[in-house]
Each structure stands twice: as structure tokens, then as C-alpha cells.
Amino acid sequence: MLNRRLFSQSAAALASAVLLSVPVASFAADEAPDAMIKRLSNEVLETIRNDSTIKSGDVDKIMVLVDRLLMPHVNFRRMTAAAVGPGWRKATPDQQKRLQDEFKILLVRTYSGALSQVTNQTVDVKPMRSAAGDKDVLVRTEVRGKGDPVQVDYRLEKDGSGWKIYNLNVLGVWIVDTYRTQFGQEVNAKGIDGLIESLVARNKANAAGSGK
């Protein structure tokens, strides 16, 4: 069970690192989404193996990568809106920005520690079921290494600049859906400002716990 848990953590880290470490030049408007995920996964694995600061979970280093490389290639606004749920539509533009900022920090801190588990994994991309002209697709993958393969799936949408990731699934659990339950409870109890305050406090506690 311990090896399974560690391998699952490394798979989750790889999935999140695809979001956190995407090179700008990697995305092409005419590139198939499954080909893109395969190539990005391989590039990310190589990046983690060769960069000890990322592999050690250096939050500051990962955050720089997020700010510089992530935002153009992931629909993070959609991710945050889906995680917040119906309350998002009632939030002011300033509240929406703060929610995105704090949610980003939460995700980075949640997965940064697992990056040390990434070693000799490989990624197997499953045949994709989609029709010509589809603008919303599911790309299924398996991360292989020691122990049983770990399922990691991606939801992507296509806009004028190419494919963008807006959700991911590790071992049958969609990240956005998981947070929607937590965030919905906070919004119902304390409103949007209450959720923001809760995220700020959670991120501060996580930073204190990691010593940063």
C-alpha cells in the first residue's frame, strides 16, 4: 500500500507538473490534444529529473514557472470557476481574481511536495475517442513505473490558440470536482469573502508548515 500511495503521488505530481511546467513553444494550434499531452508529459518528466530545485518541491521556483508559463496554456479561470461553483457568478471581478490567485497557490503547494517521487515513470496515452471538429475532449493516460499503472486523465478545450487543459483526473478523482465540494461548503457558510479568507489562511498554514 505504501508503494502504491507513493507511486500515485508521483503520478499526481506528473499531472500537475504538466500544468506547472509547460514551455511556451510546446503548444501549436494544429496539434492533436493526445499528441500534445504525450509530448508535454515526456518533456515534464525530463525537466523534473534534470532540475533538482523542482524535484525537491521548491515552491518559489514552481511558482515562477506557473506565472511565466502556465497561464497562457491552461484555462485557469474556468478551472477556478468550476471549483467555486454557482457562487462564482456572484463574485465581483476583484473577488474572482483573488480566488484564482489563492487557488493557484493552493494547487502548487498541494502537489509540490510530491515532485520528489517522480523518477523513472513513463506515460502511455490511450487511443482518444473524438470526432473531427470536437472542441472539448478527454485524453486518458496511464503513468507506468513501479507497481500498478496509475490512471491520469485530462479534460481539454480548444480555442483560437490551441488546446487548453481545464481539469485532470488522478485515480478516478477529478481535481476540480473535489474542490467544488469543499469550496461550496465554505461559500454556503461564509460567502465568497469567507472562502477567500479560508484559502488565504490555508495557504499561510501550508507555507508555515513547509518552512517557507
Side-chain angles (χ1 to χ4, degrees), residues 33-107:
D34 52 348
M36 183 191 78
I37 292 296
K38 175 66 173 178
R39 181 171 47 77
L40 291 179
S41 297
N42 289 335
E43 290 177 358
V44 165
L45 282 171
E46 190 66 21
T47 299
I48 295 172
R49 291 176 186 133
N50 293 329
D51 191 323
S52 60
T53 58
I54 294 176
K55 188 173 173 60
S56 68
D58 187 311
V59 173
D60 292 335
K61 178 69 174 290
I62 296 170
M63 195 66 74
V64 169
L65 291 175
V66 170
D67 289 336
R68 184 165 62 91
L69 304 177
L70 166 64
M71 294 309 166
H73 310 300
V74 177
N75 190 337
F76 200 72
R77 179 181 175 84
R78 177 172 177 174
M79 288 183 67
T80 309
V84 173
W88 175 264
R89 295 190 295 272
K90 301 177 182 179
T92 66
D94 180 66
Q95 288 174 323
Q96 291 179 352
K97 181 181 183 305
R98 292 194 65 194
L99 285 167
Q100 289 183 77
D101 291 344
E102 295 301 328
F103 188 36
K104 178 182 68 176
I105 295 170
L106 178 63
L107 289 176

Side-chain angles (χ1 to χ4, degrees), residues 147-193:
D148 296 331
V150 174
Q151 172 192 345
V152 179
D153 302 331
Y154 300 84
R155 279 283 182 192
L156 302 96
E157 65 175 0
K158 190 173 187 179
D159 63 15
S161 61
W163 291 97
K164 294 187 178 181
I165 302 166
Y166 67 86
N167 203 353
L168 62 92
N169 175 324
V170 180
L171 288 173
V173 179
W174 289 99
I175 284 181
V176 166
D177 297 346
T178 298
Y179 284 108
R180 184 185 295 122
T181 300
Q182 300 174 24
F183 293 174
Q185 292 173 348
E186 292 282 350
V187 172
N188 290 337
K190 304 176 183 178
I192 291 295
D193 283 334

Side-chain angles (χ1 to χ4, degrees), residues 4-19:
R4 173 68 169 174
R5 184 168 66 251
L6 290 175
F7 185 46
S8 298
Q9 289 176 345
S10 69
L14 171 60
S16 63
V18 169
L19 300 180

